[in-house]
Amino acid sequence: MHFQKYPTRVALIFFVFLFCIILFLVKLSLIQIFRVDYLAEKADKQHNHMVELQPMRGTIYDRNMHSLAINVAAYSVFANTRSMTAAQKAAAAGAMANVIGGSASVYARKMEKEKYFVWLARKVSSSGYEALKAKKLHGIGFVKESKRFHPNGDLAAHLIGFSNIDNIGLQGVELEYDRHLRGTKGMAQFLRDAKMRDLMIEKEFVAPKDGNHVVLTIDETIQFIAERALEKAYEKHNAASASVIVMDPKTGEILAFANRPTFNPDKPDASPMENRTNRAVAFVYEPGSVFKIVTAAAGLETKAFKEEDIIFFENGKYRVATHILHAHDTLGELPYRQVVIHSSNIGVTKIAQKIGPDKVYEYAHKFRFGIKTGIGMTGEVSGMLKPPSQWSKTTIGAIPIGHEVTVTSIQLVAAIAAIANDGKYMRPYYVKAIKAPDGATIQEFYPKEETQIIHTDIARRLKSILQGVVDEGTATSAKMKDITAAGKTGTAQKIVDGKYSHSKFVASFIGFAPVDDPKLAVVVTVDTPHPNYYGGIVAAPVFKEVVQNSLRYLATKGRH
């Protein structure tokens, strides 16, 4: 009856309903046809929770399988801000500041976003985790992770390097061998209910693969001995920086490697970048008299001189083009052997002049100056060695005595090790093996002879001369009562504002011991020591302490 009374209105309502039904059907069809994949994926994400399973980063060991860098359990703190009230967020921010440290306002800003998961702090201390857990803060949860830990603190810090908060290597061995140490992430997928709560019903699981271990060539004890001796010299002589490297001359294995200043690899950001820089491979300097081993070797092997040949000192003054060299004392002449032992600039320059620029350059190149050693450390530089075509008229009186040439500490230790090793140049290396998590060996690294720099008999004759440097020459402070040693001192003026400074020097010593059967080759470099700055006073005693204690230690191990 009402339908008959209002036929137009009924018809309008009918057509509106019909239009809506058709519109809904069209929309539903479009969703079913064109958005089915998107919506299915979204539903899947809502009901399936994917969790990344972190692998354990591999351990870094010394040559005796003593741990130098390990991963330990750590907890990270997150907030589910969607489940928290403003008061609960404020309480959590205050608790984080009191327990973990930092500003409450910073934590509060992190919780401003409405999310199911917001990081508040990564890898907190065990005490911090326990204290926060005990507070039972609403919306605050914990994720078990792992973090890098160095049992020996800063021991071998520049060699080991460090990794970031996500266990990714950033420097040193951690960087160079990151792909081996890092491992492979795993994955677990769990079902969730409509309120996004985990049901702990495992749908899919891929186990993480832990990282491999890296075994270094360094010896933890020799490393400690070397660092202790270097630290004392660094502080005693008020140096700007210092480095020491200990190498097995017969194999090229690095047994100790240290720089000062150093840093804590557990907290690398707490130290400035210059403290973290690996100076022994990345910094160059003019070597001064330690470079005379090149000229001395060339003079003997070219047969231009014999040990007993007399060299005249020109009464203490000798002109080379526009430059005048001065003798250290008033001696009128010395045999070749004594020229090297007493580190005469005039004598060494005369040796270089006789053999000529080409031979000086050839032998410097043979000793691999101006070339990277191939140790494989990021940041290694080659230094500078000018070919004769670029020499000036005064260069013949500069390069042979260690000026107008730049070197690194790693180049110097490899060079003196070659003399100790009867002229065979061994490529320096610092990784002994890579091992799987179960201990199986994946890859081993072996000594590699690069070249025979000088003949064996020349090397042995040169060893005798360099022993004289320690016994009676410029390095008597390196002389030991029961151990024979050989080496060369260096005291090089630094270049400041384009000129050689008369107050800033680099003191150095390179040497090996015992002379008849060398087990250790060592370089010690001390930058800007004062008030004493001579290599024989500053660097040679470090060599003595390192060699004495290291050989005593090796003897207890029965290593010969």
Side-chain angles (χ1 to χ4, degrees), residues 41-51 78 80 82 115-117 188-203:
E41 182 182 354
K42 187 172 182 179
D44 188 61
K45 285 182 178 180
Q46 289 176 340
H47 293 283
N48 292 279
H49 182 205
M50 194 77 71
V51 177
F78 72 92
N80 178 355
R82 286 195 173 185
K115 290 186 175 183
Y116 289 109
F117 190 97
Q189 192 173 15
F190 299 95
L191 292 178
R192 293 192 293 199
D193 63 15
K195 293 185 177 181
M196 307 294 283
R197 295 175 298 193
D198 286 335
L199 299 176
M200 300 309 294
I201 300 174
E202 188 178 293
K203 186 177 179 182

Side-chain angles (χ1 to χ4, degrees), residues 44-271:
D44 188 61
K45 285 182 178 180
Q46 289 176 340
H47 293 283
N48 292 279
H49 182 205
M50 194 77 71
V51 177
E52 273 191 352
L53 303 177
Q54 297 292 330
M56 286 291 287
R57 189 169 178 83
T59 299
I60 298 175
Y61 294 100
D62 85 333
R63 65 187 301 112
N64 301 309
M65 300 304 290
H66 296 149
S67 300
L68 300 175
I70 61 176
N71 265 36
V72 295
Y75 286 88
S76 295
V77 188
F78 72 92
N80 178 355
T81 56
R82 286 195 173 185
S83 69
M84 301 170 72
T85 64
Q88 290 168 339
K89 290 178 183 179
M96 290 291 296
N98 291 332
V99 175
I100 307 300
S103 170
S105 61
V106 173
Y107 294 114
R109 279 197 297 272
K110 289 182 179 181
M111 290 186 281
E112 287 176 355
K113 296 179 180 179
E114 294 293 317
K115 290 186 175 183
Y116 289 109
F117 190 97
V118 177
W119 281 124
L120 295 183
R122 296 288 302 280
K123 303 181 181 181
V124 303
S125 65
S126 298
S127 58
Y129 160 68
E130 294 294 344
L132 282 173
K133 186 179 178 182
K135 291 181 179 294
K136 297 180 179 179
L137 298 165
H138 183 84
I140 299 300
F142 304 92
V143 175
K144 187 175 182 180
E145 297 190 281
S146 65
K147 68 177 180 179
R148 215 57 166 159
F149 175 69
H150 300 81
N152 299 310
D154 62 4
L155 191 77
H158 292 93
L159 186 62
I160 295 168
F162 56 90
S163 54
N164 65 11
I165 194 74
D166 293 311
N167 282 332
I168 298 172
L170 298 181
Q171 185 173 304
V173 175
E174 297 280 19
L175 171 63
E176 299 292 346
Y177 290 84
D178 183 64
R179 65 188 181 91
H180 294 285
L181 291 163
R182 191 187 301 184
T184 305
K185 294 179 181 179
M187 178 271 293
Q189 192 173 15
F190 299 95
L191 292 178
R192 293 192 293 199
D193 63 15
K195 293 185 177 181
M196 307 294 283
R197 295 175 298 193
D198 286 335
L199 299 176
M200 300 309 294
I201 300 174
E202 188 178 293
K203 186 177 179 182
E204 191 174 345
F205 176 79
V206 177
K209 183 180 179 182
D210 290 342
N212 297 321
H213 307 309
V214 174
V215 183
L216 304 183
T217 61
I218 69 166
D219 187 298
E220 180 184 62
T221 301
I222 296 177
Q223 180 73 30
F224 174 77
I225 291 169
E227 292 206 27
R228 181 177 60 183
L230 187 69
E231 180 71 25
K232 285 193 291 186
Y234 172 67
E235 293 183 352
K236 177 181 178 180
H237 298 290
N238 307 298
S241 62
S243 299
V244 62
I245 304 174
V246 183
M247 177 175 166
D248 184 332
K250 297 175 183 176
T251 64
E253 293 173 291
I254 300 299
L255 301 177
F257 187 105
N259 296 286
R260 288 296 183 272
T262 188
F263 68 98
N264 181 353
D266 287 327
K267 299 177 181 179
D269 291 339
S271 299

